[in-house]
Amino acid sequence: MTDKELVQQVRNGNQHACRFLVAKYQGLVNHMVRRILLRNEVAEDICQDVFLKVFSRLSAFRGEAKLSTWIATIAYHTSITELNRMKGKKESSLELLPVTSVPVSFEPVHAFETEEVKKILLTMIETLPVHYRTILTLFYLEEFSYREIEQVTGMPEGTIKNYLYRARYLLKSKLEKIQQNERAEIFMV
Amino acid sequence: MKEPKYLWYNQEAGTGNESDDLLDQVLKSDNMMPLPDDFADRMAAKAVKRYILKQSLSEFFVYLGVILLAAIIFCAVFYFTSPEAWSRWGNVLLPRWNLIAGLSTTGLFVFFADRVILPWLIFSATKAPRH
């Protein structure tokens, strides 16, 4: 079933089509909402809000963009609005922090397996500014193109590339810092 | 000597590419808490419930509009063709305006219940998600 056919079916009130649409895009919405809000306890409610908005605005969907991009746009704006409502100025003050000062707390001595290193990296992702997290999620997890991310977030392509590079650079440098710390520890012992 | 814990993945090449691979793995991995299994069912039920409500309401207003239009046309024709009969009927009905208003309101409510409330309640009763 193509996106257009799916949208038409949903507009006609077909419950199976509605279920199919939600099942198809719930991963995308869930990833975006959780990565932006970082709060599991409200994530489900926000995902519900997103899909209710999707259903109520579906008559405005003209098929110019992909349905996934359109839904991601709604998920992005809903999450950002909710984030602003929840955190107020707290998050925006985090945005103003220089990227090098993103706090990372980890205990190298507790990590040994690859999974542990991955967990530390995931924690680091959560400490990145919200726009970095959003772009990383859309680009790597959802495999959106720059053009699609531009449609979702409204940021110019250059900014997206810059954020992507800086987010990756930050994570990589933190990872290497852990390695350096450990190297130093090994030589000290 | 202490065992290395993080260095293992870039010991071989030493170029930093292993770090990139690890980063890619982490960034592409879906390790977030998933939504409940019945999430799609619940959302679909909600969406259809809203759709039914919207459809019923629009149908109700269309019917109401048609009935009101027909009544207005009937009154206008009656008024212009037979003004005397119109004033006679007016004299009969106007003193009983409260009775007429009550009957109209009851009729309107019955019509609304039949077209909107009932379909919505029936759908809610049959399609409500079971927990």
Side-chain angles (χ1 to χ4, degrees):
Chain A
M1 189 188 282
T2 63
D3 280 351
K4 267 192 173 178
E5 288 166 345
L6 180 63
V7 167
Q8 194 52 50
Q9 290 291 320
V10 173
R11 276 182 191 159
N12 292 339
N14 183 332
Q15 191 167 356
H16 294 294
C18 293
R19 189 184 297 122
F20 183 76
L21 186 140
V22 177
K24 192 176 177 186
Y25 295 108
Q26 68 179 21
L28 164 70
V29 172
N30 187 37
H31 293 154
M32 289 199 66
V33 169
R34 285 188 202 270
R35 270 277 161 83
I36 292 174
L37 295 178
L38 300 175
R39 288 197 182 183
N40 286 329
E41 67 273 14
V42 293
E44 195 185 327
D45 290 340
I46 305 302
C47 288
Q48 280 195 27
D49 277 358
V50 170
F51 278 110
L52 289 177
K53 280 182 187 172
V54 166
F55 288 127
S56 63
R57 293 178 191 175
L58 212 55
S59 52
F61 177 72
R62 295 174 187 206
E64 287 160 0
K66 280 163 72 181
L67 186 59
S68 56
T69 315
W70 188 74
I71 292 174
T73 310
I74 294 176
Y76 173 73
H77 289 293
T78 308
S79 306
I80 291 291
T81 308
E82 182 62 20
L83 186 72
N84 290 338
R85 196 187 66 78
M86 286 193 312
K87 290 189 177 177
K89 289 174 184 174
K90 210 173 167 186
E91 178 69 24
S92 53
S93 64
L94 182 67
E95 298 284 331
L96 297 172
L97 284 174
V99 284
T100 46
S101 69
V102 172
V104 175
S105 59
F106 49 82
E107 289 291 334
V109 284
H110 295 313
F112 186 64
E113 304 295 329
T114 325
E115 291 307 312
E116 292 293 324
V117 182
K118 285 180 181 173
K119 272 182 195 169
I120 292 170
L121 274 173
L122 286 167
T123 313
M124 286 182 197
I125 293 171
E126 290 182 4
T127 61
L128 292 173
V130 65
H131 293 313
Y132 288 17
R133 298 196 302 263
T134 310
I135 289 170
L136 282 177
T137 308
L138 287 172
F139 189 78
Y140 288 104
L141 202 53
E142 304 303 332
E143 296 179 339
F144 275 34
S145 65
Y146 293 125
R147 176 88 187 113
E148 286 166 340
I149 299 174
E150 189 180 341
Q151 286 174 345
V152 172
T153 60
M155 294 176 202
E157 196 175 314
T159 309
I160 293 165
K161 284 180 180 169
N162 184 28
Y163 280 5
L164 208 54
Y165 170 78
R166 289 176 74 180
R168 239 194 114 90
Y169 174 78
L170 262 176
L171 292 173
K172 201 177 162 186
S173 57
K174 293 290 177 191
L175 188 65
E176 284 167 356
K177 203 174 172 186
I178 301 173
Q179 292 171 322
Q180 279 171 10
N181 286 347
E182 194 181 36
R183 195 178 285 129
E185 245 181 75
I186 289 168
F187 286 118
M188 278 172 70
V189 172
Chain B
M1 194 181 215
K2 197 181 170 188
E3 279 288 311
K5 292 167 186 171
Y6 292 94
L7 294 172
W8 62 272
Y9 49 80
N10 69 351
Q11 274 176 332
E12 289 173 17
T15 55
N17 290 337
E18 298 286 329
S19 307
D20 282 327
D21 289 346
L22 188 72
L23 255 180
D24 279 339
Q25 268 184 43
V26 172
L27 290 170
K28 288 176 182 174
S29 63
D30 175 11
N31 48 7
M32 286 178 229
M33 193 187 287
L35 289 165
D37 292 338
D38 63 343
F39 181 78
D41 289 324
R42 279 191 286 134
M43 286 312 303
K46 270 189 188 181
V48 175
K49 210 167 154 183
R50 283 187 171 207
Y51 175 80
I52 286 175
L53 188 65
K54 205 174 151 188
Q55 281 290 107
S56 322
L57 271 174
S58 57
E59 270 179 31
F60 170 76
F61 283 116
V62 167
Y63 281 123
L64 192 67
V66 169
I67 291 167
L68 284 177
L69 193 70
I72 290 167
I73 290 170
F74 173 77
C75 290
V77 170
F78 190 42
Y79 177 77
F80 286 112
T81 52
S82 171
E84 287 167 10
W86 171 261
S87 61
R88 254 201 324 273
W89 273 104
N91 290 336
V92 173
L93 295 175
L94 272 179
R96 296 171 182 81
W97 67 268
N98 45 2
L99 177 72
I100 292 164
L103 283 173
S104 305
T105 311
T106 310
L108 197 68
F109 176 73
V110 170
F111 186 50
F112 182 76
D114 180 55
R115 302 306 314 181
V116 182
I117 300 174
L118 218 57
W120 191 72
L121 283 179
I122 288 170
F123 180 82
S124 303
T126 52
K127 301 281 180 179
R130 307 265 184 264
H131 292 288

